[in-house]
Amino acid sequence: GQQLNQSPQSMFIQEGEDVSMNCTSSSIFNTWLWYKQDPGEGPVLLIALYKAGELTSNGRLTAQFGITRKDSFLNISASIPSDVGIYFCAGLPGAGSYQLTFGKGTKLSVIP
Amino acid sequence: DAGVTQSPTHLIKTRGQQVTLRCSPKSGHDTVSWYQQALGQGPQFIFQYYEEEERQRGNFPDRFSGHQFPNYSSELNVNALLLGDSALYLCASSLYGYSGNTIYFGEGSWLTVV
């Protein structure tokens, strides 16, 4: 099945550093979502974006909905050890479809 | 307020067997979707149920079937299990017609096929 192009696949960063990851698609989406998944758990929603060009923050997290509707970015500022996990982007096409298409994930490791 | 609950948490099956996984949606939600997440991959959409009918289906064979009950809970059935069906199966509940931030995932059912 289709998966979004998410990069990087993995990151090792020092505590306190900022993190950036992105997601691209060949298709247009009307909604972009960012999830975090911890080992043995289901994905937890971090940020939802509904409008092209929209920039939304949730604490230290900031995400943007690309103006082409084919990409999205997630930034994490001042990383802390509990940021460790796998981050997934997901797109919803809209037009009555509620089928989420996910990226392959970015595995984040934070070195104290 | 209970979130999305799935059962069983873990199970092991033999090739060729059949399996049933269960999901209770978050209180107030009426729609259930099922996703398959292979190791190291993102979740893949299997199908969605609303008003006890399959509304959308992803690229999965007919061996994968489902059901939604009047209380909105749902089952995922997989027949003639293959080794490649080993994965985390996630249930997501939502409110039909509402936006992406109403989608909540359960913790999943880990299926191992040997």
Side-chain angles (χ1 to χ4, degrees):
Chain A
Q2 180 193 4
Q3 286 198 318
L4 304 177
N5 299 312
Q6 188 171 348
S7 64
Q9 289 186 338
S10 63
M11 307 179 71
F12 287 85
I13 61 168
Q14 292 282 344
E15 183 177 354
E17 288 185 342
D18 296 345
V19 173
S20 291
M21 59 190 78
N22 69 79
C23 205
T24 61
S25 169
S26 57
S27 306
I28 288 174
F29 290 105
N30 285 339
T31 300
W32 281 93
L33 306 168
W34 284 93
Y35 288 89
K36 179 173 183 269
Q37 187 174 28
D38 292 327
E41 298 185 9
V44 174
L45 181 66
L46 300 173
I47 291 181
L49 301 157
Y50 301 105
K51 189 176 176 182
E54 177 183 355
L55 187 71
T56 297
S57 293
N58 178 9
R60 294 179 296 105
L61 278 61
T62 301
Q64 184 162 24
F65 191 142
I67 57 173
T68 66
R69 296 188 177 184
K70 292 183 178 181
D71 58 359
S72 180
F73 304 86
L74 176 69
N75 296 312
I76 304 173
S77 63
S79 59
I80 58 178
S82 62
D83 291 334
V84 166
I86 302 178
Y87 292 79
F88 289 98
C89 61
L92 268 176
S97 173
Y98 301 98
Q99 174 176 335
L100 282 171
T101 300
F102 281 83
K104 288 188 176 182
T106 295
K107 185 175 182 180
L108 179 63
S109 300
V110 179
I111 304 167
Chain B
D1 181 21
V4 182
T5 58
Q6 293 187 241
S7 64
T9 307
H10 296 83
L11 70 166
I12 301 174
K13 290 286 188 177
T14 304
R15 272 183 302 174
Q17 284 188 318
Q18 179 262 347
V19 68
T20 298
L21 308 177
R22 296 174 177 82
C23 172
S24 292
K26 180 178 168 62
S27 178
H29 283 185
D30 56 9
T31 303
V32 172
S33 300
W34 287 92
Y35 290 79
Q36 179 195 66
Q37 186 176 19
L39 206 59
Q41 302 293 316
Q44 296 270 344
F45 177 80
I46 303 175
F47 42 54
Q48 181 190 71
Y49 276 84
Y50 170 66
E51 290 187 332
E52 302 179 49
E53 290 187 9
E54 183 183 295
R55 299 289 176 161
Q56 284 187 280
R57 188 178 184 92
N59 189 24
F60 279 81
D62 292 344
R63 297 187 298 109
F64 290 77
S65 63
H67 190 76
Q68 186 179 34
F69 299 94
N71 67 353
Y72 308 120
S73 66
S74 176
E75 288 182 350
L76 165 66
N77 300 294
V78 187
N79 294 322
L81 284 167
L82 305 173
L83 294 179
D85 295 332
S86 295
L88 176 67
Y89 288 85
L90 293 163
C91 171
S93 80
S94 57
L95 206 50
Y96 195 78
Y98 283 75
S99 56
N101 65 355
T102 72
I103 301 173
Y104 288 81
F105 282 86
E107 295 193 348
S109 293
W110 284 98
L111 171 64
T112 302
V113 183
V114 297

PDB file of all heavy atoms in Angstrom, chain B residues 39-63:
ATOM      1  N   LEU B  39       6.478  -4.625  11.327  1.00  0.00           N
ATOM      2  CA  LEU B  39       7.645  -4.145  12.062  1.00  0.00           C
ATOM      3  C   LEU B  39       8.438  -3.151  11.215  1.00  0.00           C
ATOM      4  O   LEU B  39       8.763  -3.429  10.055  1.00  0.00           O
ATOM      5  CB  LEU B  39       8.520  -5.335  12.433  1.00  0.00           C
ATOM      6  CG  LEU B  39       9.416  -5.170  13.660  1.00  0.00           C
ATOM      7  CD1 LEU B  39       8.596  -4.855  14.897  1.00  0.00           C
ATOM      8  CD2 LEU B  39      10.262  -6.419  13.880  1.00  0.00           C
ATOM      9  N   GLY B  40       8.699  -1.990  11.774  1.00  0.00           N
ATOM     10  CA  GLY B  40       9.494  -0.982  11.069  1.00  0.00           C
ATOM     11  C   GLY B  40       8.747  -0.190  10.024  1.00  0.00           C
ATOM     12  O   GLY B  40       9.366   0.578   9.278  1.00  0.00           O
ATOM     13  N   GLN B  41       7.444  -0.353   9.951  1.00  0.00           N
ATOM     14  CA  GLN B  41       6.625   0.345   8.957  1.00  0.00           C
ATOM     15  C   GLN B  41       5.578   1.213   9.633  1.00  0.00           C
ATOM     16  O   GLN B  41       5.315   1.076  10.826  1.00  0.00           O
ATOM     17  CB  GLN B  41       5.929  -0.662   8.051  1.00  0.00           C
ATOM     18  CG  GLN B  41       6.860  -1.606   7.310  1.00  0.00           C
ATOM     19  CD  GLN B  41       7.702  -0.895   6.288  1.00  0.00           C
ATOM     20  OE1 GLN B  41       7.209  -0.057   5.534  1.00  0.00           O
ATOM     21  NE2 GLN B  41       8.992  -1.215   6.248  1.00  0.00           N
ATOM     22  N   GLY B  42       4.976   2.086   8.844  1.00  0.00           N
ATOM     23  CA  GLY B  42       3.838   2.832   9.339  1.00  0.00           C
ATOM     24  C   GLY B  42       2.573   1.998   9.198  1.00  0.00           C
ATOM     25  O   GLY B  42       2.534   1.022   8.445  1.00  0.00           O
ATOM     26  N   PRO B  43       1.533   2.349   9.928  1.00  0.00           N
ATOM     27  CA  PRO B  43       0.265   1.609   9.816  1.00  0.00           C
ATOM     28  C   PRO B  43      -0.317   1.693   8.405  1.00  0.00           C
ATOM     29  O   PRO B  43      -0.206   2.715   7.739  1.00  0.00           O
ATOM     30  CB  PRO B  43      -0.642   2.319  10.829  1.00  0.00           C
ATOM     31  CG  PRO B  43       0.291   2.979  11.799  1.00  0.00           C
ATOM     32  CD  PRO B  43       1.473   3.390  10.983  1.00  0.00           C
ATOM     33  N   GLN B  44      -0.945   0.589   7.977  1.00  0.00           N
ATOM     34  CA  GLN B  44      -1.619   0.518   6.680  1.00  0.00           C
ATOM     35  C   GLN B  44      -3.102   0.296   6.922  1.00  0.00           C
ATOM     36  O   GLN B  44      -3.486  -0.607   7.674  1.00  0.00           O
ATOM     37  CB  GLN B  44      -1.052  -0.652   5.856  1.00  0.00           C
ATOM     38  CG  GLN B  44       0.414  -0.507   5.493  1.00  0.00           C
ATOM     39  CD  GLN B  44       0.613   0.201   4.173  1.00  0.00           C
ATOM     40  OE1 GLN B  44      -0.311   0.329   3.377  1.00  0.00           O
ATOM     41  NE2 GLN B  44       1.823   0.690   3.945  1.00  0.00           N
ATOM     42  N   PHE B  45      -3.919   1.083   6.249  1.00  0.00           N
ATOM     43  CA  PHE B  45      -5.369   1.033   6.410  1.00  0.00           C
ATOM     44  C   PHE B  45      -5.932  -0.266   5.851  1.00  0.00           C
ATOM     45  O   PHE B  45      -5.662  -0.621   4.710  1.00  0.00           O
ATOM     46  CB  PHE B  45      -5.984   2.238   5.694  1.00  0.00           C
ATOM     47  CG  PHE B  45      -7.486   2.288   5.699  1.00  0.00           C
ATOM     48  CD1 PHE B  45      -8.177   2.746   6.807  1.00  0.00           C
ATOM     49  CD2 PHE B  45      -8.202   1.905   4.582  1.00  0.00           C
ATOM     50  CE1 PHE B  45      -9.556   2.819   6.798  1.00  0.00           C
ATOM     51  CE2 PHE B  45      -9.590   1.980   4.564  1.00  0.00           C
ATOM     52  CZ  PHE B  45     -10.266   2.437   5.670  1.00  0.00           C
ATOM     53  N   ILE B  46      -6.746  -0.944   6.672  1.00  0.00           N
ATOM     54  CA  ILE B  46      -7.397  -2.181   6.217  1.00  0.00           C
ATOM     55  C   ILE B  46      -8.825  -1.871   5.782  1.00  0.00           C
ATOM     56  O   ILE B  46      -9.192  -2.106   4.628  1.00  0.00           O
ATOM     57  CB  ILE B  46      -7.404  -3.261   7.323  1.00  0.00           C
ATOM     58  CG1 ILE B  46      -5.979  -3.562   7.785  1.00  0.00           C
ATOM     59  CG2 ILE B  46      -8.082  -4.533   6.800  1.00  0.00           C
ATOM     60  CD1 ILE B  46      -5.910  -4.529   8.962  1.00  0.00           C
ATOM     61  N   PHE B  47      -9.644  -1.393   6.716  1.00  0.00           N
ATOM     62  CA  PHE B  47     -11.015  -0.990   6.379  1.00  0.00           C
ATOM     63  C   PHE B  47     -11.609  -0.167   7.522  1.00  0.00           C
ATOM     64  O   PHE B  47     -11.036  -0.060   8.602  1.00  0.00           O
ATOM     65  CB  PHE B  47     -11.939  -2.163   6.044  1.00  0.00           C
ATOM     66  CG  PHE B  47     -11.827  -3.391   6.911  1.00  0.00           C
ATOM     67  CD1 PHE B  47     -11.935  -3.309   8.298  1.00  0.00           C
ATOM     68  CD2 PHE B  47     -11.634  -4.627   6.320  1.00  0.00           C
ATOM     69  CE1 PHE B  47     -11.840  -4.445   9.082  1.00  0.00           C
ATOM     70  CE2 PHE B  47     -11.538  -5.770   7.093  1.00  0.00           C
ATOM     71  CZ  PHE B  47     -11.643  -5.676   8.470  1.00  0.00           C
ATOM     72  N   GLN B  48     -12.776   0.411   7.211  1.00  0.00           N
ATOM     73  CA  GLN B  48     -13.477   1.252   8.174  1.00  0.00           C
ATOM     74  C   GLN B  48     -14.938   0.826   8.262  1.00  0.00           C
ATOM     75  O   GLN B  48     -15.560   0.525   7.236  1.00  0.00           O
ATOM     76  CB  GLN B  48     -13.427   2.710   7.743  1.00  0.00           C
ATOM     77  CG  GLN B  48     -14.112   3.672   8.705  1.00  0.00           C
ATOM     78  CD  GLN B  48     -14.254   5.058   8.127  1.00  0.00           C
ATOM     79  OE1 GLN B  48     -15.032   5.298   7.213  1.00  0.00           O
ATOM     80  NE2 GLN B  48     -13.467   5.979   8.645  1.00  0.00           N
ATOM     81  N   TYR B  49     -15.488   0.826   9.478  1.00  0.00           N
ATOM     82  CA  TYR B  49     -16.882   0.473   9.689  1.00  0.00           C
ATOM     83  C   TYR B  49     -17.646   1.628  10.317  1.00  0.00           C
ATOM     84  O   TYR B  49     -17.172   2.277  11.264  1.00  0.00           O
ATOM     85  CB  TYR B  49     -16.992  -0.764  10.587  1.00  0.00           C
ATOM     86  CG  TYR B  49     -16.848  -2.039   9.818  1.00  0.00           C
ATOM     87  CD1 TYR B  49     -15.585  -2.548   9.518  1.00  0.00           C
ATOM     88  CD2 TYR B  49     -17.961  -2.724   9.342  1.00  0.00           C
ATOM     89  CE1 TYR B  49     -15.449  -3.714   8.787  1.00  0.00           C
ATOM     90  CE2 TYR B  49     -17.831  -3.892   8.609  1.00  0.00           C
ATOM     91  CZ  TYR B  49     -16.576  -4.371   8.331  1.00  0.00           C
ATOM     92  OH  TYR B  49     -16.433  -5.516   7.592  1.00  0.00           O
ATOM     93  N   TYR B  50     -18.813   1.851   9.777  1.00  0.00           N
ATOM     94  CA  TYR B  50     -19.742   2.860  10.317  1.00  0.00           C
ATOM     95  C   TYR B  50     -21.151   2.350  10.081  1.00  0.00           C
ATOM     96  O   TYR B  50     -21.457   1.836   9.001  1.00  0.00           O
ATOM     97  CB  TYR B  50     -19.523   4.212   9.633  1.00  0.00           C
ATOM     98  CG  TYR B  50     -20.572   5.243   9.934  1.00  0.00           C
ATOM     99  CD1 TYR B  50     -20.727   5.757  11.218  1.00  0.00           C
ATOM    100  CD2 TYR B  50     -21.423   5.708   8.934  1.00  0.00           C
ATOM    101  CE1 TYR B  50     -21.701   6.707  11.494  1.00  0.00           C
ATOM    102  CE2 TYR B  50     -22.394   6.648   9.204  1.00  0.00           C
ATOM    103  CZ  TYR B  50     -22.531   7.153  10.488  1.00  0.00           C
ATOM    104  OH  TYR B  50     -23.490   8.091  10.766  1.00  0.00           O
ATOM    105  N   GLU B  51     -21.998   2.483  11.061  1.00  0.00           N
ATOM    106  CA  GLU B  51     -23.379   1.992  10.983  1.00  0.00           C
ATOM    107  C   GLU B  51     -23.406   0.526  10.550  1.00  0.00           C
ATOM    108  O   GLU B  51     -24.219   0.125   9.684  1.00  0.00           O
ATOM    109  CB  GLU B  51     -24.210   2.860  10.033  1.00  0.00           C
ATOM    110  CG  GLU B  51     -24.474   4.237  10.595  1.00  0.00           C
ATOM    111  CD  GLU B  51     -25.443   5.059   9.744  1.00  0.00           C
ATOM    112  OE1 GLU B  51     -25.505   4.827   8.509  1.00  0.00           O
ATOM    113  OE2 GLU B  51     -26.131   5.924  10.324  1.00  0.00           O
ATOM    114  N   GLU B  52     -22.478  -0.243  11.111  1.00  0.00           N
ATOM    115  CA  GLU B  52     -22.412  -1.700  10.925  1.00  0.00           C
ATOM    116  C   GLU B  52     -22.120  -2.114   9.483  1.00  0.00           C
ATOM    117  O   GLU B  52     -22.319  -3.280   9.116  1.00  0.00           O
ATOM    118  CB  GLU B  52     -23.711  -2.362  11.421  1.00  0.00           C
ATOM    119  CG  GLU B  52     -24.021  -2.076  12.876  1.00  0.00           C
ATOM    120  CD  GLU B  52     -25.321  -2.707  13.362  1.00  0.00           C
ATOM    121  OE1 GLU B  52     -25.511  -3.909  13.122  1.00  0.00           O
ATOM    122  OE2 GLU B  52     -26.131  -1.992  13.981  1.00  0.00           O
ATOM    123  N   GLU B  53     -21.623  -1.174   8.688  1.00  0.00           N
ATOM    124  CA  GLU B  53     -21.275  -1.491   7.303  1.00  0.00           C
ATOM    125  C   GLU B  53     -19.830  -1.111   7.021  1.00  0.00           C
ATOM    126  O   GLU B  53     -19.327  -0.110   7.552  1.00  0.00           O
ATOM    127  CB  GLU B  53     -22.184  -0.746   6.328  1.00  0.00           C
ATOM    128  CG  GLU B  53     -23.599  -1.245   6.314  1.00  0.00           C
ATOM    129  CD  GLU B  53     -24.412  -0.575   5.208  1.00  0.00           C
ATOM    130  OE1 GLU B  53     -23.820   0.129   4.369  1.00  0.00           O
ATOM    131  OE2 GLU B  53     -25.634  -0.755   5.196  1.00  0.00           O
ATOM    132  N   GLU B  54     -19.181  -1.870   6.163  1.00  0.00           N
ATOM    133  CA  GLU B  54     -17.842  -1.516   5.704  1.00  0.00           C
ATOM    134  C   GLU B  54     -17.965  -0.353   4.742  1.00  0.00           C
ATOM    135  O   GLU B  54     -18.606  -0.460   3.689  1.00  0.00           O
ATOM    136  CB  GLU B  54     -17.176  -2.708   5.014  1.00  0.00           C
ATOM    137  CG  GLU B  54     -15.745  -2.426   4.566  1.00  0.00           C
ATOM    138  CD  GLU B  54     -15.136  -3.606   3.819  1.00  0.00           C
ATOM    139  OE1 GLU B  54     -14.954  -4.676   4.430  1.00  0.00           O
ATOM    140  OE2 GLU B  54     -14.841  -3.449   2.616  1.00  0.00           O
ATOM    141  N   ARG B  55     -17.350   0.773   5.067  1.00  0.00           N
ATOM    142  CA  ARG B  55     -17.492   1.993   4.280  1.00  0.00           C
ATOM    143  C   ARG B  55     -16.319   2.206   3.331  1.00  0.00           C
ATOM    144  O   ARG B  55     -16.502   2.733   2.247  1.00  0.00           O
ATOM    145  CB  ARG B  55     -17.610   3.201   5.214  1.00  0.00           C
ATOM    146  CG  ARG B  55     -18.818   3.135   6.122  1.00  0.00           C
ATOM    147  CD  ARG B  55     -20.103   3.337   5.362  1.00  0.00           C
ATOM    148  NE  ARG B  55     -21.263   3.180   6.210  1.00  0.00           N
ATOM    149  CZ  ARG B  55     -22.471   3.653   5.893  1.00  0.00           C
ATOM    150  NH1 ARG B  55     -22.651   4.293   4.750  1.00  0.00           N
ATOM    151  NH2 ARG B  55     -23.490   3.456   6.706  1.00  0.00           N
ATOM    152  N   GLN B  56     -15.137   1.863   3.780  1.00  0.00           N
ATOM    153  CA  GLN B  56     -13.959   2.009   2.939  1.00  0.00           C
ATOM    154  C   GLN B  56     -13.053   0.813   3.183  1.00  0.00           C
ATOM    155  O   GLN B  56     -13.050   0.246   4.280  1.00  0.00           O
ATOM    156  CB  GLN B  56     -13.185   3.291   3.282  1.00  0.00           C
ATOM    157  CG  GLN B  56     -13.804   4.560   2.760  1.00  0.00           C
ATOM    158  CD  GLN B  56     -12.902   5.751   3.003  1.00  0.00           C
ATOM    159  OE1 GLN B  56     -12.848   6.298   4.102  1.00  0.00           O
ATOM    160  NE2 GLN B  56     -12.158   6.142   1.987  1.00  0.00           N
ATOM    161  N   ARG B  57     -12.288   0.463   2.153  1.00  0.00           N
ATOM    162  CA  ARG B  57     -11.385  -0.670   2.278  1.00  0.00           C
ATOM    163  C   ARG B  57     -10.058  -0.322   1.627  1.00  0.00           C
ATOM    164  O   ARG B  57     -10.020   0.285   0.560  1.00  0.00           O
ATOM    165  CB  ARG B  57     -11.982  -1.907   1.610  1.00  0.00           C
ATOM    166  CG  ARG B  57     -11.199  -3.176   1.871  1.00  0.00           C
ATOM    167  CD  ARG B  57     -11.846  -4.384   1.237  1.00  0.00           C
ATOM    168  NE  ARG B  57     -11.125  -5.604   1.567  1.00  0.00           N
ATOM    169  CZ  ARG B  57     -11.396  -6.382   2.606  1.00  0.00           C
ATOM    170  NH1 ARG B  57     -12.409  -6.084   3.403  1.00  0.00           N
ATOM    171  NH2 ARG B  57     -10.692  -7.463   2.852  1.00  0.00           N
ATOM    172  N   GLY B  58      -8.973  -0.716   2.276  1.00  0.00           N
ATOM    173  CA  GLY B  58      -7.647  -0.548   1.713  1.00  0.00           C
ATOM    174  C   GLY B  58      -7.294  -1.740   0.839  1.00  0.00           C
ATOM    175  O   GLY B  58      -8.137  -2.572   0.510  1.00  0.00           O
ATOM    176  N   ASN B  59      -6.024  -1.831   0.488  1.00  0.00           N
ATOM    177  CA  ASN B  59      -5.565  -2.862  -0.431  1.00  0.00           C
ATOM    178  C   ASN B  59      -5.236  -4.148   0.322  1.00  0.00           C
ATOM    179  O   ASN B  59      -4.071  -4.539   0.422  1.00  0.00           O
ATOM    180  CB  ASN B  59      -4.342  -2.346  -1.197  1.00  0.00           C
ATOM    181  CG  ASN B  59      -3.940  -3.273  -2.315  1.00  0.00           C
ATOM    182  OD1 ASN B  59      -4.757  -4.041  -2.811  1.00  0.00           O
ATOM    183  ND2 ASN B  59      -2.679  -3.223  -2.680  1.00  0.00           N
ATOM    184  N   PHE B  60      -6.241  -4.799   0.852  1.00  0.00           N
ATOM    185  CA  PHE B  60      -6.066  -6.049   1.584  1.00  0.00           C
ATOM    186  C   PHE B  60      -6.984  -7.111   0.988  1.00  0.00           C
ATOM    187  O   PHE B  60      -8.089  -6.809   0.545  1.00  0.00           O
ATOM    188  CB  PHE B  60      -6.397  -5.847   3.074  1.00  0.00           C
ATOM    189  CG  PHE B  60      -5.266  -5.240   3.855  1.00  0.00           C
ATOM    190  CD1 PHE B  60      -5.046  -3.871   3.823  1.00  0.00           C
ATOM    191  CD2 PHE B  60      -4.408  -6.041   4.595  1.00  0.00           C
ATOM    192  CE1 PHE B  60      -3.978  -3.303   4.513  1.00  0.00           C
ATOM    193  CE2 PHE B  60      -3.357  -5.489   5.299  1.00  0.00           C
ATOM    194  CZ  PHE B  60      -3.145  -4.119   5.253  1.00  0.00           C
ATOM    195  N   PRO B  61      -6.522  -8.374   0.979  1.00  0.00           N
ATOM    196  CA  PRO B  61      -7.332  -9.443   0.369  1.00  0.00           C
ATOM    197  C   PRO B  61      -8.585  -9.746   1.169  1.00  0.00           C
ATOM    198  O   PRO B  61      -8.737  -9.319   2.321  1.00  0.00           O
ATOM    199  CB  PRO B  61      -6.365 -10.642   0.366  1.00  0.00           C
ATOM    200  CG  PRO B  61      -5.403 -10.367   1.467  1.00  0.00           C
ATOM    201  CD  PRO B  61      -5.228  -8.881   1.510  1.00  0.00           C
ATOM    202  N   ASP B  62      -9.454 -10.539   0.551  1.00  0.00           N
ATOM    203  CA  ASP B  62     -10.730 -10.890   1.186  1.00  0.00           C
ATOM    204  C   ASP B  62     -10.565 -11.740   2.436  1.00  0.00           C
ATOM    205  O   ASP B  62     -11.536 -11.934   3.178  1.00  0.00           O
ATOM    206  CB  ASP B  62     -11.614 -11.640   0.178  1.00  0.00           C
ATOM    207  CG  ASP B  62     -12.066 -10.745  -0.944  1.00  0.00           C
ATOM    208  OD1 ASP B  62     -11.953  -9.505  -0.778  1.00  0.00           O
ATOM    209  OD2 ASP B  62     -12.517 -11.258  -1.980  1.00  0.00           O
ATOM    210  N   ARG B  63      -9.348 -12.246   2.667  1.00  0.00           N
ATOM    211  CA  ARG B  63      -9.112 -13.012   3.900  1.00  0.00           C
ATOM    212  C   ARG B  63      -9.321 -12.128   5.138  1.00  0.00           C
ATOM    213  O   ARG B  63      -9.538 -12.627   6.238  1.00  0.00           O
ATOM    214  CB  ARG B  63      -7.668 -13.547   3.935  1.00  0.00           C
ATOM    215  CG  ARG B  63      -7.312 -14.526   2.855  1.00  0.00           C
ATOM    216  CD  ARG B  63      -5.922 -15.111   3.084  1.00  0.00           C
ATOM    217  NE  ARG B  63      -4.867 -14.113   3.046  1.00  0.00           N
ATOM    218  CZ  ARG B  63      -4.173 -13.704   4.112  1.00  0.00           C
ATOM    219  NH1 ARG B  63      -4.457 -14.199   5.324  1.00  0.00           N
ATOM    220  NH2 ARG B  63      -3.216 -12.802   3.988  1.00  0.00           N
TER     221      ARG B  63
END
